Amino acid sequence: MIMPIVTSSDASQLMQYPAKHSCRFFLAQGAIMSLLTQARLLLICFVLACVVSGNLRAQTFGIELHNNLMPASGGMAGASLSQPQDLQSAMNGNPSTLRQFNGTQFSFSGAWADANYNLTQADPLPLLGVAPFSASSGTPGSLLGNIGVTQDLDAFGIPATMGLGFISNAGTGSEFKQVLASNGTSTQYLALDMDASLGFNVTERLAFGVTGTVGTSFLDTPFVDVGGMTGAYGFRGTVGANYCVNSDTSLGAYWQSKKRFEFEDAAIIGGIPLNVALDHPANIGIGLANSSLMCGRLLLAADVIYKMYSDAAALKAVYEDQMCFQIGGQYVLNERMRLRTGYAYNENPMKDAQLESIGGVTIPDGVPAVRYVQGQFAAIGQQRVTMGLGIRDFKPGIDLDLFFGYAFAETDQFAATTVSIDDNYWVGFGQTWRFGGCSNDGDPQAIQ
């Protein structure tokens, strides 16, 4: 849990990203080796935390989660591109904001997300063997983890902060195998990322950052009982900047490349195994944060994210480009307690169907079959509200974050396929360990 922008009017403190604290933690080389050892152990925890993946619906923008399930950002509707309140959000969003995290910090978070996903198919799809049916998905909720560790290099005279994270990046799922008329319809998708990030100061006001991502994804194709779970690897790059306008206001922005996957032999059409190409879209985000109100106790943050699905393999047949808006607030109640809330709205990204292949696979039954596949990837939730609580020094040097979110019910129709999603909620927690530095280290909003 890292608090927002500085409140001091001293120009030398406009950016709290360099080490300017009276209590500095001197980093030795052995500490870095210990950090790497911890990271290897955390990978095991991360995998265990992600063994269950299912109903991720309104928590995502399309298929990607962004920072909606992070320990502190989760309570602020994901708003985090200029003043993130947890280190996972910095690595998964705008890496330049890593300079706001001092000393050595490690954070682990977990979240549970669930929803009722209902599908009605009014017309048959004879070539796919699908008859009319109406049912609720049998896919259970999702248990997801996000882990990160950061280390500033100020002790070496380098105005930079490095980070390593294991992130639950994306997911969706629906299953109707229990319905004979569906002919085994099932779709599962899970994307896990390893992020290596670096944020560095150019001036006291301006920071830049880069993230390199290696992702592994697992796809159970939606091509109706003609494929199985297949894995693939992909790569992505992110660049970002954050500018401190004055002692209360900062502006951040980032660009994120596509993440390309090639799932080999993921579908079998006419007895022929086919590869499925799938891209995560390129993203552009801008964030604004201000803490001038209520004597610096109130942080307000707003982000805008633009997702370019029209250039993403496979998903461009399902979604169109999407705008997402996130607004969050955090109030410092006292030295230890932070109260958070947020609201998010996103455009419905579902695309008007065209007769085209999906990831290089042409589906039998034409446009009605494309619409049926869209129904399995339906990301129709548009509005969500969140709340959260942060407790600093829950135990000495350990911060605790809790969050809860709820998305309003939505219904959409794709020709003969109708999808409704309701009872969509998520709940999560995070713990952050801070090593070195004084008790207010890395918390510019801390009450003195």
Side-chain angles (χ1 to χ4, degrees):
M1 179 182 66
I2 300 300
M3 296 301 118
I5 197 165
V6 297
T7 56
S8 174
S9 59
D10 188 345
S12 65
Q13 296 181 355
L14 283 174
M15 291 289 280
Q16 286 291 329
Y17 316 143
K20 299 278 184 181
H21 304 279
S22 59
C23 304
R24 290 306 303 158
F25 172 63
F26 182 79
L27 173 66
Q29 185 174 5
I32 297 180
M33 297 305 295
S34 176
L35 194 62
L36 295 176
T37 300
Q38 291 177 349
R40 288 192 293 268
L41 294 175
L42 297 177
L43 177 59
I44 299 174
C45 298
F46 175 69
V47 172
L48 292 176
C50 297
V51 293
V52 180
S53 174
N55 276 328
L56 289 173
R57 292 295 173 180
Q59 305 86 4
T60 64
F61 297 142
I63 63 169
E64 294 191 303
L65 287 161
H66 289 272
N67 289 334
N68 292 316
L69 297 183
M70 296 305 182
S73 299
M76 299 173 64
S80 55
L81 293 184
S82 186
Q83 291 290 328
Q85 300 304 292
D86 57 76
L87 57 91
Q88 294 99 316
S89 292
M91 285 182 284
N92 193 51
N94 182 358
S96 67
T97 58
L98 279 173
R99 287 301 288 147
Q100 298 169 37
F101 297 85
N102 302 297
T104 305
Q105 301 194 33
F106 161 66
S107 182
F108 171 84
S109 67
W112 172 261
D114 201 3
N116 287 336
Y117 180 77
N118 310 295
L119 185 146
T120 298
Q121 179 62 27
D123 296 337
L125 299 170
L127 296 181
L128 291 178
V130 176
F133 72 94
S134 182
S136 296
S137 170
T139 302
S142 299
L143 177 62
L144 298 169
N146 294 289
I147 298 173
V149 59
T150 62
Q151 176 64 62
D152 74 35
L153 304 178
D154 296 285
F156 297 119
I158 302 173
T161 302
M162 61 183 183
L164 181 66
F166 302 107
I167 305 297
S168 299
N169 172 250
T172 187
S174 60
E175 183 179 341
F176 300 95
K177 291 181 178 180
Q178 73 278 14
V179 181
L180 294 179
S182 76
N183 191 25
T185 295
S186 177
T187 299
Q188 301 292 334
Y189 183 72
L190 174 66
L192 309 176
D193 286 349
M194 183 176 75
D195 292 338
S197 303
L198 180 68
F200 55 93
N201 277 98
V202 178
T203 69
E204 287 189 337
R205 291 177 178 264
L206 180 63
F208 283 99
V210 295
T211 294
T213 299
V214 179
T216 179
S217 288
F218 303 91
L219 173 67
D220 186 358
T221 58
F223 302 121
V224 191
D225 204 25
V226 293
M229 183 70 76
T230 308
Y233 291 91
F235 302 91
R236 170 181 261 177
T238 305
V239 295
N242 203 47
Y243 181 70
C244 186
V245 178
N246 55 41
S247 60
D248 300 313
T249 306
S250 65
L251 179 66
Y254 82 105
W255 171 83
Q256 194 170 56
S257 72
K258 292 191 294 185
K259 186 167 55 170
R260 299 177 181 272
F261 294 99
E262 184 80 14
F263 295 94
E264 297 183 356
D265 301 332
I268 302 175
I269 304 294
I272 301 174
L274 300 173
N275 295 349
V276 176
L278 187 148
D279 294 343
H280 287 216
N283 301 307
I284 298 174
I286 299 175
L288 178 68
N290 179 273
S291 59
S292 62
L293 301 178
M294 304 184 74
C295 300
R297 290 175 178 264
L298 179 63
L299 169 70
L300 297 176
D303 294 348
V304 179
I305 299 173
Y306 182 63
K307 301 184 67 62
M308 291 173 273
Y309 281 111
S310 60
D311 192 36
L315 296 180
K316 67 181 180 181
V318 178
Y319 305 130
E320 57 188 5
D321 292 349
Q322 182 185 35
M323 291 286 290
C324 312
F325 306 90
Q326 301 167 291
I327 300 173
Q330 174 179 265
Y331 179 70
V332 179
L333 186 63
N334 53 45
E335 289 186 351
R336 299 183 63 192
M337 304 287 289
R338 276 81 175 133
L339 305 179
R340 304 181 180 117
T341 189
Y343 170 80
Y345 172 84
N346 58 267
E347 296 177 330
N348 186 336
M350 306 310 296
K351 182 179 181 179
D352 292 336
Q354 302 173 18
L355 186 57
E356 59 181 298
S357 66
I358 297 180
V361 178
T362 300
I363 306 177
D365 286 314
V367 171
V370 173
R371 300 296 265 171
Y372 185 65
V373 170
Q374 279 188 296
Q376 297 175 57
F377 280 92
I380 59 178
Q382 294 185 263
Q383 299 186 73
R384 71 199 76 178
V385 293
T386 66
M387 63 182 65
L389 172 67
I391 305 176
R392 189 164 176 85
D393 286 321
F394 176 74
K395 296 291 184 179
I398 302 176
D399 303 335
L400 176 67
D401 295 294
L402 305 171
F403 65 90
F404 171 82
Y406 181 83
F408 298 102
E410 296 283 354
T411 300
D412 204 349
Q413 186 167 358
F414 314 100
T417 305
T418 301
V419 172
S420 65
I421 302 175
D422 55 35
D423 290 340
N424 196 329
Y425 74 94
W426 53 100
V427 61
F429 78 99
Q431 278 193 275
T432 301
W433 288 260
R434 293 173 284 106
F435 303 96
C438 53
S439 61
N440 287 339
D441 196 7
D443 186 359
Q445 201 188 21
I447 301 173
Q448 303 299 323

